[in-house]
Amino acid sequence: MLRQVLHRGLRTCFSRLGHFIASHPVFFASAPVLISILLGASFSRYQVEESVEHLLAPQHSLAKIERNLVNSLFPVNRSKHRLYSDLQTPGRYGRVIVTSFQKANMLDQHHTDLILKLHAAVTKIQVPRPGFNYTFAHICILNNDKTCIVDDIVHVLEELKNARATNRTNFAITYPITHLKDGRAVYNGHQLGGVTVHSKDRVKSAEAIQLTYYLQSINSLNDMVAERWESSFCDTVRLFQKSNSKVRMYPYTSSSLREDFQKTSRVSERYLVTSLILVVTMAILCCSMQDCVRSKPWLGLLGLVTISLATLTAAGIINLTGGKYNSTFLGVPFIMLGHGLYGTFEMLSSWRKTREDQHVKERTAAVYADSMLSFSLTTAMYLVTFGIGASPFTNIEAARIFCCNSCIAIFFNYLYVLSFYGSSLVFTGYIENNYQHSIFCRKVPKPEALQEKPAWYRFLLTARFSEDTTEGEEANTYESHLLVCFLKRYYCDWITNTYVKPFVVLFYLIYISFALMGYLQVSEGSDLSNIVATATQTIEYTTAQQKYFSNYSPVIGFYIYESIEYWNTSVQEDVLEYTKGFVRISWFESYLNYLRKLNVSTGLPKKNFTDMLRNSFLKAPQFSHFQEDIIFSKKYNDEVDVVASRMFLVAKTMETNREELYDLLETLRRLSVTSKVKFIVFNPSFVYMDRYASSLGAPLHNSCISALFLLFFSAFLVADSLINVWITLTVVSVEFGVIGFMTLWKVELDCISVLCLIYGINYTIDNCAPLLSTFVLGKDFTRTKWVKNALEVHGVAILQSYLCYIVGLIPLAAVPSNLTCTLFRCLFLIAFVTFFHCFAILPVILTFLPPSKKKRKEKKNPENREEIECVEMVDIDSTRVVDQITTV
């Protein structure tokens, strides 16, 4: 009883609101436009988010804490000497992979000379500044002898060239660790790719070689020069590529990911314009009909204007509050399109059900009472689900900003639909009541006055006048609309046919089967190449790197951050045991072996041992480069102790993918907790992967919980709680299918797809809630009758919004970007699966599942008697008598 009272009260409130807006249409039409112009004007000076890590890496993660600890123990300026600077922070750098189209050996004389020429060209790059030209020598990382540090592979190639020049045959390159003539052992697993080896790891050939150039960025001027050097570096590599067409080069810099991420916005511009034109055309066609008076083409256009005003207002607010634009915002207009268009089409559908002899104010009040309650509840669902995603509970900044922008846009869209679109409906209502043309707004003459006009003129001015129609025909004035006619005369009878239902059920079982098959194969995607434009440096470089350099994992730092008894044999064995199975590419193993020999030969106590370590170990020429991997501290009694140490590890892998690295990270983390030695492991990629699965699923998980909570709470507002049960089951079925088919379509569960799944919850409720509400609240008659009635009442609005939405999505499929590709596939699946449920699954299932529609037998009250009036009618020929019985 309480639910019915609340339901009637809300309908009455919306009815009065509609009457009030119809009384002041000019104000409610102009106010949203002025607000949008004032707020949207600030968007002309929008800022772009530069940090990809800030957007896509989990905000609160253990990896960031570990990075701070590593930077405090081993400052970056000391870590660059090892050329594993990307082990701590990527900084500024330029990389290039050189390979051949014919899989030639890059270590032969021709390609060796070519790569060394490229190296010489890179080192001569100049960045002009007022009064000075910066070269690589001015911004490179310096060694202890104040010379630029270059990749060890360059020294290997130079020694290989000198060996060939002097006809030395004893020089051999081993893989993945080789030795230079000065006795240094260098790791080349990430510099040589596609390697074929002889016995004893001697390299026979290599299909690819990677060079890396690290730059300083210690202040703003230095960082600006380094950024320009990176741009010149890419240009130099491309020019070198043109002059040497037999080799293929893949340049990459620290700015490539950011530039390619934002490139999606630039390459999408003309496709979005095409999408807008198609949606405008389809919206106008969906609102048009042959009757030039009752046709509403302007409302189709004004519905899109309403959505555009709301989106512009939201963009202005985000910009004024310090928000920055990023490419994920491309999905916001499509979220607005799905929600806003259905609301406007539902209002237009309610307008068609009003009586034409009513005043415009009364018709508008009836429209608001009929459509605004469901639209308000679905808008509340959007605000709650995206509001939870915009909360601090969301650990990925890109998802949080996207949800925040969507919340603001949806809120203003709701206000603008109530005001701007409602006023537009009032204006077109007056045009209709005055029998004016729906496009040209001129008075339409009666058919008698058009007899002498040309056929095309009569066609443009086709209209049905109320005085020319009977009372029974007045209710069918809108049936000339193509979609109304299609649903009422053909589709409703076909989908509820007894012979069609078994095929629909069978098709649904097939749908569930394929969805389950895909659901069991869901994979989490944290690969950053999935969010950038295609045919870019990031995609080409990442593809080449995975092809040629996937034998070993990225360099992983192994940091011991406590003072341990390095002279203790058991401690040494523990450290080596923890790193068992890895390739140790630092001097740590030699260091431990040296300690072992030193301790055995001297048998000195700890103080004398550490003093000898400090004096003899660091002076040993073979360990001259290792001093940056040990931190010593001197106590008050001049006793020297080792505070921290590190070594670099790589793991042998079959393929460098995110899942394998994530498993490796978790394994090392568990080992660090249970080990006797306190250590941490770190690589910059861990910042993106750490807690990525939980951070990624948190917005979807929280949104689902909030949606269920709101459905439970709204059960007290709707007229029947069974509506919410059906809505919940439908949402589960749609989301399950979307996730399954999304996986089969090679879409991973990443930031973009999760945001689309949150939207899918609301899109399903948007389209299915009015349909289910009409069916559940229907009394008497049969289930089939109410299914048909629900489709006739709400099916046109669903079909109109679906057609406009799909037409708008089609150009998105052609955008050369992985981000928009994911966006298109997810949104298309959401729209298609929801449409399949609205027009096939629900109309069939509802015909044989609760609620029951048996006709209730009313007990006859003796006081309520029927008076019967019998009228005797005699026909003209007086041959028979007809009794007409009328109930009074």
Side-chain angles (χ1 to χ4, degrees):
M1 182 64 184
L2 178 62
R3 289 196 296 264
Q4 280 78 6
V5 172
L6 289 174
H7 191 264
R8 293 194 195 98
L10 290 173
R11 286 177 61 91
T12 302
C13 292
F14 281 116
S15 176
R16 293 177 179 177
L17 176 63
H19 193 278
F20 180 74
I21 291 175
S23 302
H24 308 84
V26 177
F27 171 78
F28 286 101
S30 57
V33 177
L34 294 176
I35 294 174
S36 300
I37 293 174
L38 291 176
L39 294 176
S42 66
F43 192 67
S44 60
R45 297 182 179 180
Y46 69 93
Q47 294 179 325
V48 178
E49 179 59 60
E50 299 289 342
S51 176
V52 178
E53 178 183 321
H54 174 70
L55 286 174
L56 301 174
Q59 296 297 303
H60 309 287
S61 65
L62 183 59
K64 290 187 176 180
I65 299 175
E66 292 169 342
R67 180 172 63 184
N68 294 334
L69 178 59
V70 168
N71 289 335
S72 64
L73 293 175
F74 298 93
V76 175
N77 60 347
R78 295 187 63 201
S79 303
K80 298 292 184 179
H81 295 283
R82 298 295 309 180
L83 279 186
Y84 306 124
S85 62
D86 51 346
L87 176 62
Q88 282 179 234
T89 175
R92 291 287 184 183
Y93 61 86
R95 285 196 179 109
V96 58
I97 296 177
V98 184
T99 184
S100 173
F101 288 105
Q102 292 145 358
K103 295 185 178 182
N105 181 14
M106 304 306 295
L107 296 176
D108 60 22
Q109 184 174 356
H110 170 71
H111 290 97
T112 301
D113 295 340
L114 191 66
I115 294 172
L116 291 176
K117 287 181 182 179
L118 174 63
H119 170 68
V122 169
T123 56
K124 293 177 182 177
I125 294 176
Q126 292 185 352
V127 178
R129 290 291 299 163
F132 193 78
N133 291 332
Y134 289 87
T135 64
F136 178 71
H138 297 107
I139 57 176
C140 67
I141 304 297
L142 298 177
N143 208 335
N144 294 331
D145 56 358
K146 303 302 180 181
T147 59
C148 289
I149 299 178
V150 295
D151 246 341
D152 288 325
I153 191 63
V154 176
H155 299 304
V156 173
L157 295 178
E158 288 175 346
E159 292 189 7
L160 180 61
K161 181 179 180 180
N162 293 334
R164 286 181 178 140
T166 57
N167 294 322
R168 283 193 295 117
T169 59
N170 58 348
F171 181 79
I173 302 175
T174 55
Y175 182 80
I177 295 178
T178 190
H179 293 81
L180 300 178
K181 63 180 181 180
D182 59 359
R184 290 192 298 125
V186 296
Y187 171 73
N188 56 24
H190 291 158
Q191 284 77 42
L192 295 179
V195 176
T196 304
V197 295
H198 287 298
S199 59
K200 298 182 180 181
D201 295 333
R202 295 183 62 180
V203 177
K204 179 181 178 181
S205 64
E207 296 180 6
I209 289 180
Q210 179 172 234
L211 303 177
T212 306
Y213 301 89
Y214 293 106
L215 310 174
Q216 295 181 14
S217 56
I218 55 179
N219 52 50
S220 59
L221 175 62
N222 196 269
D223 186 72
M224 181 185 65
V225 173
E227 184 177 7
R228 294 188 178 181
W229 189 93
E230 289 178 350
S231 178
S232 301
F233 169 79
C234 294
D235 296 337
T236 301
V237 172
R238 293 191 191 98
L239 290 174
F240 200 85
Q241 164 82 67
K242 291 181 180 179
S243 59
N244 300 273
S245 58
K246 293 185 179 180
V247 294
R248 184 72 175 93
M249 299 182 184
Y250 304 94
Y252 186 79
T253 66
S254 62
S255 305
S256 295
L257 179 61
R258 171 180 56 82
E259 294 172 353
D260 295 341
F261 175 62
Q262 299 299 347
K263 187 178 179 180
T264 297
S265 301
R266 298 192 298 272
V267 300
S268 301
E269 291 177 356
R270 61 189 183 97
Y271 296 97
L272 292 177
V273 172
T274 303
S275 177
L276 179 62
I277 295 174
L278 292 176
V279 172
V280 168
T281 304
M282 182 57 68
I284 292 175
L285 291 177
C286 287
C287 296
S288 302
M289 52 190 297
Q290 187 177 1
D291 193 320
C292 68
V293 172
R294 295 169 181 85
S295 180
K296 298 289 186 293
W298 286 115
L299 284 183
L301 177 62
L302 291 172
L304 293 174
V305 172
T306 305
I307 297 171
S308 302
L309 291 176
T311 306
L312 183 61
T313 303
I317 292 176
I318 290 292
N319 192 51
L320 289 174
T321 53
K324 296 183 179 180
Y325 173 83
N326 64 82
S327 293
T328 60
F329 284 5
L330 290 174
V332 175
F334 293 95
I335 289 178
M336 298 295 299
L337 189 66
H339 178 59
L341 275 183
Y342 180 75
T344 57
F345 284 135
E346 188 68 24
M347 291 180 68
L348 183 57
S349 178
S350 298
W351 177 270
R352 296 192 185 102
K353 293 185 291 183
T354 58
R355 290 168 46 195
E356 293 186 356
D357 58 350
Q358 289 180 312
H359 194 271
V360 172
K361 296 181 181 180
E362 296 177 355
R363 297 182 73 177
T364 306
V367 168
Y368 276 68
D370 184 55
S371 60
M372 279 298 112
L373 179 57
S374 61
F375 186 66
S376 300
L377 291 177
T378 54
T379 301
M381 184 69 71
Y382 272 93
L383 294 177
V384 170
T385 52
F386 280 107
I388 293 295
S391 67
F393 296 107
T394 301
N395 203 16
I396 297 180
E397 187 66 13
R400 193 190 66 80
I401 297 175
F402 182 91
C403 291
C404 181
N405 194 0
S406 300
C407 269
I408 298 174
I410 289 167
F411 175 74
F412 278 96
N413 178 73
Y414 176 73
L415 296 181
Y416 290 175
V417 168
L418 287 175
S419 56
F420 180 80
Y421 190 78
S423 301
S424 303
L425 191 64
V426 172
F427 290 132
T428 56
Y430 281 115
I431 292 175
E432 179 182 338
N433 280 13
N434 295 332
Y435 287 94
Q436 293 176 299
H437 199 281
S438 58
I439 300 177
F440 307 111
C441 301
R442 58 164 293 181
K443 190 76 172 180
V444 176
K446 291 189 176 182
E448 295 82 8
L450 298 175
Q451 296 299 327
E452 298 180 356
K453 299 293 183 180
W456 63 270
Y457 190 84
R458 294 197 303 270
F459 177 79
L460 291 177
L461 297 179
T462 301
R464 180 181 295 181
F465 289 79
S466 58
E467 56 267 24
D468 298 333
T469 59
T470 62
E471 185 177 352
E473 292 176 342
E474 184 177 350
N476 301 324
T477 52
Y478 287 99
E479 282 195 13
S480 60
H481 192 284
L482 181 62
L483 297 180
V484 176
C485 179
F486 168 73
L487 288 176
K488 192 169 185 177
R489 297 184 184 181
Y490 303 103
Y491 187 79
C492 292
D493 292 331
W494 177 81
I495 196 63
T496 55
N497 189 288
T498 306
Y499 299 101
V500 174
K501 293 179 183 179
F503 293 99
V504 175
V505 173
L506 178 62
F507 195 68
Y508 182 68
L509 294 177
I510 297 174
Y511 159 81
I512 291 294
S513 301
F514 277 93
L516 179 62
M517 182 173 63
Y519 189 84
L520 296 176
Q521 303 175 30
V522 172
S523 60
E524 298 163 357
S526 58
D527 190 353
L528 298 180
S529 63
N530 291 335
I531 62 166
V532 301
T534 57
T536 56
Q537 291 180 2
T538 301
I539 296 297
E540 294 177 351
Y541 174 82
T542 303
T543 303
Q545 189 181 52
Q546 291 179 350
K547 180 180 180 181
Y548 296 108
F549 301 95
S550 59
N551 290 335
Y552 294 94
S553 70
V555 179
I556 300 172
F558 184 91
Y559 299 87
I560 300 175
Y561 58 94
E562 68 170 346
S563 179
I564 61 175
E565 298 177 347
Y566 289 91
W567 59 88
N568 192 320
T569 307
S570 61
V571 174
Q572 299 170 11
E573 295 297 333
D574 287 339
V575 175
L576 294 177
E577 179 64 25
Y578 298 147
T579 60
K580 183 179 180 180
F582 292 91
V583 177
R584 290 178 281 270
I585 58 176
S586 65
W587 301 96
F588 202 93
E589 187 171 9
S590 301
Y591 166 48
L592 294 180
N593 292 331
Y594 184 80
L595 291 180
R596 190 179 296 112
K597 294 178 181 179
L598 187 64
N599 196 21
V600 172
S601 62
T602 59
L604 297 175
K606 174 184 176 182
K607 182 179 185 307
N608 295 334
F609 173 80
T610 53
D611 288 341
M612 182 172 290
L613 169 66
R614 175 99 176 150
N615 295 326
S616 66
F617 174 76
L618 296 182
K619 291 180 180 179
Q622 66 269 32
F623 300 118
S624 60
H625 292 272
F626 186 66
Q627 49 190 313
E628 64 200 57
D629 293 335
I630 304 176
I631 298 178
F632 290 93
S633 67
K634 184 179 291 187
K635 300 183 179 180
Y636 67 92
N637 56 356
D638 291 335
E639 181 180 346
V640 179
D641 199 3
V642 179
V643 177
S645 59
R646 68 177 179 180
M647 63 176 158
F648 304 131
L649 311 172
V650 290
K652 181 72 175 178
T653 57
M654 295 300 295
E655 183 180 358
T656 305
N657 53 49
R658 293 282 167 171
E659 292 79 7
E660 193 169 359
L661 290 179
Y662 184 78
D663 294 339
L664 179 63
L665 170 62
E666 292 301 312
T667 301
L668 292 173
R669 286 266 177 81
R670 288 192 297 267
L671 187 62
S672 67
V673 173
T674 59
S675 67
K676 300 177 183 178
V677 179
K678 294 181 180 179
F679 72 89
I680 59 174
V681 291
F682 182 75
N683 181 277
S685 61
F686 292 170
V687 174
Y688 292 95
M689 293 187 298
D690 194 18
R691 295 180 59 191
Y692 187 81
S694 59
S695 301
L696 190 64
L700 180 60
H701 180 262
N702 296 333
S703 297
C704 290
I705 293 177
S706 60
L708 291 174
F709 173 78
L710 188 60
L711 286 172
F712 174 77
F713 178 74
S714 63
F716 300 98
L717 298 178
V718 297
D720 197 323
S721 58
L722 192 59
I723 298 174
N724 288 9
V725 175
W726 272 110
I727 290 176
T728 304
L729 294 176
T730 306
V731 168
V732 171
S733 178
V734 170
E735 289 289 285
F736 180 74
V738 170
I739 294 175
F741 285 97
M742 180 182 74
T743 305
L744 296 178
W745 208 353
K746 300 186 184 304
V747 176
E748 295 179 331
L749 200 63
D750 57 9
C751 177
I752 304 300
S753 57
V754 166
L755 293 174
C756 291
L757 290 175
I758 296 175
Y759 168 65
I761 299 172
N762 301 282
Y763 184 83
T764 304
I765 297 174
D766 244 346
N767 289 270
C768 298
L771 201 69
L772 292 168
S773 178
T774 301
F775 173 80
V776 172
L777 296 179
K779 304 298 181 183
D780 299 334
F781 304 113
T782 62
R783 294 191 182 97
T784 302
K785 174 65 178 177
W786 278 108
V787 166
K788 292 181 179 179
N789 186 59
L791 283 176
E792 292 173 3
V793 172
H794 302 288
V796 175
I798 297 173
L799 193 56
Q800 286 174 326
S801 62
Y802 175 78
L803 291 174
C804 294
Y805 194 67
I806 290 297
V807 165
L809 282 179
I810 290 175
L812 201 63
V815 179
S817 171
N818 290 335
L819 188 150
T820 54
C821 180
T822 301
L823 193 66
F824 165 75
R825 292 182 179 182
C826 293
L827 294 180
F828 177 82
L829 285 174
I830 290 170
F832 179 78
V833 174
T834 303
F835 179 80
F836 172 63
H837 278 72
C838 289
F839 280 88
I841 301 303
L842 288 177
V844 170
I845 293 180
L846 291 176
T847 57
F848 52 81
L849 288 179
S852 175
K853 299 295 180 183
K854 292 182 179 179
K855 187 175 182 179
R856 300 175 182 176
K857 295 182 178 179
E858 298 181 359
K859 295 182 179 180
K860 291 186 178 181
N861 192 339
E863 298 180 359
N864 297 333
R865 294 181 179 179
E866 294 182 348
E867 297 181 4
I868 307 298
E869 177 184 0
C870 298
V871 180
E872 184 180 273
M873 300 179 65
V874 182
D875 62 357
I876 299 177
D877 299 332
S878 299
T879 55
R880 57 191 178 90
V881 177
V882 181
D883 288 337
Q884 180 179 355
I885 302 176
T886 306
T887 301
V888 179

